[in-house]
Every structure is written in structure tokens, then in C-alpha cells.
Amino acid sequence: MKKNVLSVLVMVVFTVTTTYAQVDVASEQHSALGQVKSENENVKNQSNRHPDAQWFPKAGFGLFIHLGMSAVHGGIDLSWGMCANKPWLDGEITPEEYWALADVWNPKRFNADKIVKTAKKAGFKYVVFTTKHHDGYTMWPSKYGDFGVKQKLGGRDLVREFVDACRKNDMKIGLYFSPPDWRYDAVYRNWDHSKKKILDVRHQPLKELPKKPEGHDEKRRELAANQVRELLTEYGKIDIMWFDGGRGEISNDEVRRLQPGIIINKRNGNGGDFGNTEGRLPKKRFVGWFETNDPCWPSSWWGYSASNRMDTGAEVIEKLVTLRAWGGNFLANVGPKADGSIPEEALEAWKEIGKWMKHSGESVYDVTGGPYPEKANQPVTIKGENVMYVHAFPNCQHDIIVKEVLRKPMRALLLRTGEDVPFSFENQTLTVKIPAMQRTGNGRYRKVDFGRYVIT
């Protein structure tokens, strides 16, 4: 391609619009964890400039894995199932009943190498694994604390299996860690989410919570810090430290001393390298590095649910494309089943995503955001100076329009087939016309067909 030749690539997506619950679950949960905001959109110049961190904004697509004992129940979310009187539609059991699940939970079919290999074929570029959620269960045989694989699974090191699988399959490694530890604080915590009553670990009413012994909070902070130190010193190079709550139990400065090129999220009271939204796409264009983490398999909860719906591949691609049009990453979550295996619906969606990635993945990797929606009626991504990708969603039956395009494109191609697509260019406005016969897929079954229109 010559230097001053512009290429435009257009993707066509077929999905059915998802209906979201009215309750902002993420905000409710973040408030319970002591996080001031559920959305941090302006990181500005805080992004890590270390050479080893520069892969992040190029990667675009990550997989979140919430493995845990709640899957044994099948009708409660990881950790949050312990909370009574929640405004969202998660099930609930008492904390005592919840922690008893650890005695029977055995993810014997958790095959990290197989999962990571399959995820890579689907197009994921990095994986974030839940090492300890709010329930306090450690997925590695920690020397600190008394609740985890060391006590319950004969010392099986699930974190080791995960990081080894990522290195074997050349995937970036992320470790999720919750500084809050509800089991450690169990006696001193009100388990009524609404705060209208005070409930103990059996969900029985109390007049008041018992007073914490002297030094209780300091010991929890040191417990969390020591556990993070283990994760960052005993498992080799880690690419992302994904905190969820806390008040700087371990400083970002210490994390970077242990792992200089690591990327840190912005949810531990210390600031971080990227902003984020959870459970929904951002409402406005952000500044700096950004990521949206979202439940996909199942569609509403982080842990596995036997009854919750699962996202299709098309739905996930539509979210990914929309986010990439602003330059952000999409971290799609899966909750493995009680035996550690990935739900069949997720595997089917991964196949669908992987099929699309083969012909149109270049539109979401190593790209920058385009002028959508200010100057384009469909999401646009940009690669270098000469390539523009335009994505057509199923609700757009009109021409695709991109304004203030400075150079006239020479050609438009459908990525999926390489076919030429008609377009016009006048007054710096690009208009792409997608013939009906070049649109494929079935909205009812949410199939995907992203075309690639290259204008050269």
C-alpha cells in the first residue's frame, strides 16, 4: 500500500440488543467495598510508561475468570451470595452455609492449559484470574491465612497452573486480588446489604455488632499485603495486578518494585494505570488507557449460575467493537462450573468469536479509536495513517457515514470475503453502501458476520 493511500474496513455485526437490569449492580457492589466511584474515566498521564506495559492498549480483548466455590450451589454469585436483602436478583445463603461449600468444592476438571489455549483461539490476548475473592478463599497454598486450597484441596496450586498455562500459550497474565476479606471480618460485618437490620453469619438479627479487638484491621491489612507479595514474587513475571477494593494495603510503589513493568488497575485506593467501567460500556469518551469488565458467561453474575443466560459470541463482539471504537479494552468474564470446566455456552460463543476474528480481528487489535459517534454513525477504528475500519451493526440499515475524512479512499473491501463494496466521497464525507446480499447472519440466533470494507 502506498504511503498516502487510505484503506477503510467495515464490519457487519448481527446481534439482538441486550436488555439490562435497572439496578446498577456494579455501583451497589463498589459502594459495599468502599469504592467511591464505579467508573473512573480519566486516568490522563498515569498510564505506566515502562516498555513492558505498552502491550495493554493494543491488546483490546481480555478474558476474566471467576473460579470459586459458589458454583457448587449454582444459584448464587461468588461471595455476593452471602449478602441478604440485595436490590439485585442474585440468590442468597448464609455465610456459614456459603463457606461450608468449600468442603465439597473440587474443580477437578479445571484444566488451565486447555482453557487458555481455547481462549487464545477465540482471540483473547490476556487473561485475568481470580486468586482471592471477597470470600477469603486463596487459590494458591498461601503461607498467610487459613482458608484456601492449602486447607481444602490438598495444596493444589491453581494460580501456578494458570500462570504456567499462560506462559506456555504466550498469553499476558493478570491476577485479580480482593484486599477485603469477608471471612476474616465475618463476626464484625453486617450481612444485611440494605443496612436496615444487623444480621450475623447465620442471618440472625443482632442489636449491634461486636467490637473489633485492638489491631484487627491492621492485621487484615498486613495479611492482604503479604498475600500480594507472595503472588508477585513466587510466580514469575505478572503483567496485570487487578485489585478489587481496599485502601492501599500494599502500595503501588511496592508493587512496581516487585514487578516494574506491571499494569495496575485503579480500584485499590492508590490510583492506577487505567480507568474502567463494570457491567456496562462507558457513557462518554474517556481519557487514557481504559477497560470495561463485564459478566458474559453467565450474563449477570461473576460466578457460574445454572440458570442465568449466557452471552452469544455476537453480543460480545458488539461490545468489543463499540469499546475499541474509543480505544478501550474489553474484559469478558466467565464463571467456570463447579467441576472447573467452562460452560458449554461460553465455548460455543468462543468458537463464534474466533471465527469472526479470523477475517476481521485486525479491526480490534493494535488500533486507535475513531470519530464515533461525533462524526460517524457506526463504530470506527483506525490503524496507522492509511487504514480505517468501519463496523456495521444490525440496527443500521442505512448507509454508513463518516465525516471529515481528509483523503478520498481508493477502494472499499468486505473483510469477510474480499469483495468490493460501493461507496461515495464528497465534501470530506465518506458514504458506504452495504448491499443487502452482502449482509449475512440471523438476528434471531445472533449470528455474526462482520464485513471488512477496505478503501484503498
Side-chain angles (χ1 to χ4, degrees), residues 131-302:
T131 66
K132 180 174 81 78
H133 209 253
H134 317 315
D135 58 20
Y137 190 100
T138 59
M139 298 290 176
W140 77 101
S142 177
K143 297 187 292 289
Y144 305 96
D146 61 358
F147 187 58
V149 295
K150 183 177 182 179
Q151 292 77 24
K152 300 296 182 179
L153 289 181
R156 181 183 178 186
D157 194 338
L158 295 167
V159 173
R160 176 73 62 193
E161 293 174 20
F162 164 71
V163 297
D164 287 351
C166 286
R167 292 198 179 99
K168 179 181 177 181
N169 292 283
D170 192 27
M171 293 277 270
K172 297 296 184 181
I173 301 168
L175 299 181
Y176 166 107
F177 180 86
S178 169
D181 189 326
W182 293 353
R183 186 171 180 273
Y184 183 88
D185 288 332
V187 177
Y188 312 104
R189 174 182 172 79
N190 181 5
W191 294 96
D192 179 18
H193 181 85
S194 72
K195 306 303 181 187
K196 294 179 180 179
K197 297 181 287 186
I198 299 176
L199 299 180
D200 66 9
V201 293
R202 298 182 181 88
H203 286 178
Q204 295 301 306
L206 297 172
K207 290 184 178 180
E208 61 181 15
L209 290 172
K211 186 178 180 180
K212 293 179 182 178
E214 184 176 352
H216 175 86
D217 288 335
E218 289 74 15
K219 289 179 181 178
R220 183 200 59 77
R221 289 174 60 86
E222 189 60 22
L223 170 66
N226 282 330
Q227 289 175 337
V228 174
R229 292 180 187 117
E230 281 185 317
L231 292 171
L232 297 181
T233 58
E234 298 183 9
Y235 294 91
K237 186 177 184 301
I238 304 301
D239 300 295
I240 300 177
M241 193 67 218
W242 215 102
F243 290 109
D244 195 8
R247 285 290 181 270
E249 283 78 358
I250 182 170
S251 71
N252 284 358
D253 288 342
E254 181 175 356
V255 170
R256 296 196 198 284
R257 283 196 297 271
L258 298 174
Q259 297 273 350
I262 202 167
I263 298 165
I264 307 172
N265 74 337
K266 199 179 177 184
R267 289 169 60 166
N268 68 337
N270 273 194
D273 297 318
F274 61 93
N276 90 294
T277 54
E278 181 171 295
R280 62 177 176 81
L281 298 179
K283 295 180 180 178
K284 59 183 179 180
R285 191 179 292 271
F286 41 81
V287 178
W289 293 359
F290 195 88
E291 177 187 77
T292 290
N293 57 295
D294 188 41
C296 294
W297 307 287
S299 302
S300 300
W301 319 129
W302 301 107

Side-chain angles (χ1 to χ4, degrees), residues 1-42:
M1 185 182 295
K2 295 181 180 180
K3 185 175 181 180
N4 291 322
V5 173
L6 175 64
S7 299
V8 179
L9 301 92
V10 181
M11 323 302 130
V12 182
V13 189
F14 289 83
T15 68
V16 173
T17 302
T18 302
T19 300
Y20 295 95
Q22 292 183 348
V23 175
D24 187 343
V25 178
S27 292
E28 288 279 346
Q29 294 181 350
H30 293 174
S31 177
L33 294 172
Q35 297 175 17
V36 177
K37 291 183 178 180
S38 64
E39 183 166 287
N40 301 301
E41 294 183 344
N42 294 304

